[in-house]
Amino acid sequence: MDRQEIEELRAKVSCGAVLEADGWKIDIKESTRRAVKYRRVDGEIIIVIHDGAGWFDPLSDAKGDVFGLAEHLGATGFVQALERIGEVVGLAPSAPTWERPARDRPPATLAGRWQARPVPRPGSPTWRYLDRTRGLPDTIIRAAIDQNVLREGPHGSMWAAHTDAAGRLIGWEERGPKWRGFSTGGGKELFRFGDLDPLRVCITEAAIDAMSLAAIAGPETRTLYVSTGGGWSPMTDAAIADLARRRDRMLVAATDANRQGDAYAERIRGHAADGGCRFSRLTPSSEDWNDQQRARRGEMTGK
């Protein structure tokens, strides 16, 4: 097979098709339009990106194209990978139905789009989503608004700002009753909520988890709650490394109580060791902190 034929094969076969042929299933709850999460019964995870042309394993450093995926799944060498890819030519992967249509380009600058959205207010669709659906107390919602890290998204969704160390907006997490994603054209670093000169940094996987943990912990000083936004971008990695450089600081891996959360916790532990700061692992009693907060809210209200 010559190079042109290889490139044609690469263009024809999606990473999603290879995974589904191997028995993997889409986790629609944890997927976005640009990052589709596949799971296997043994707990393995693969994220398919670039419209099916690329993939990465969030539990390791493995990543690549469709041929690299075939080898990752067990093909011995490139020749066997070619054979496996050839077997799934014409197989279309499942196509999740997203609630919002894709846009070719953002309609305005990030800052302009952010400023154009209203802040949540008591009784608004986003406030009701955070309060009633997610179980966040009013005090936490108001504190996040005061720190300018929340906006009303479309259809009752929440936008939670990701900023750099200087406080500049670079993107936002989008969560709602029927939508999960990240800002089109935005960068993922950290959602930051709490003390911006902290002695303790609690690192979670979602902005709602960060706010939920703050609610569970109650009033605390010198604590910053951050979210990686469900992934681990190079900017996120660099930001956590920067936070670890103060020896009087503690990094708390408050990631989910599952295999992915444990893998992220080990990365955080490594940054703490490299930076010379203290480290702690904190796990929720449920799978994530919002599950725990909603259960706690139910116990408090009798619902």
Side-chain angles (χ1 to χ4, degrees), residues 86 94 140 180 230 290:
S94 300
I140 293 295
R180 173 190 175 97
N290 188 242

Side-chain angles (χ1 to χ4, degrees), residues 86-152:
E87 291 171 358
V88 295
V89 170
L91 177 64
S94 300
T97 301
W98 307 109
E99 294 292 330
R100 187 174 71 178
R103 293 186 299 214
D104 292 336
R105 60 178 63 87
T109 65
L110 280 171
R113 290 156 59 199
W114 177 265
Q115 293 300 333
R117 302 302 307 184
V119 298
R121 63 193 186 282
S124 71
T126 298
W127 190 290
R128 291 198 304 271
Y129 169 67
L130 293 173
D131 175 21
R132 300 177 188 177
T133 304
R134 292 298 193 158
L136 294 179
D138 290 357
T139 53
I140 293 295
I141 301 172
R142 292 184 190 280
I145 291 169
D146 289 344
Q147 291 194 355
N148 195 30
V149 295
L150 287 185
R151 282 290 191 274
E152 294 254 356

Side-chain angles (χ1 to χ4, degrees), residues 1 29 48 93-94 104 106 125 138 146 241-242 245 272 279 283 298 301:
M1 183 175 289
K29 179 183 175 184
V48 173
S94 300
D104 292 336
D138 290 357
D146 289 344
D242 187 60
R245 291 194 177 100
F279 171 82
T283 54
T301 59

Side-chain angles (χ1 to χ4, degrees), residues 8-23:
E8 289 175 354
L9 189 59
R10 192 197 312 273
K12 287 179 180 178
V13 180
S14 164
C15 290
V18 174
L19 288 167
E20 291 186 21
D22 198 50

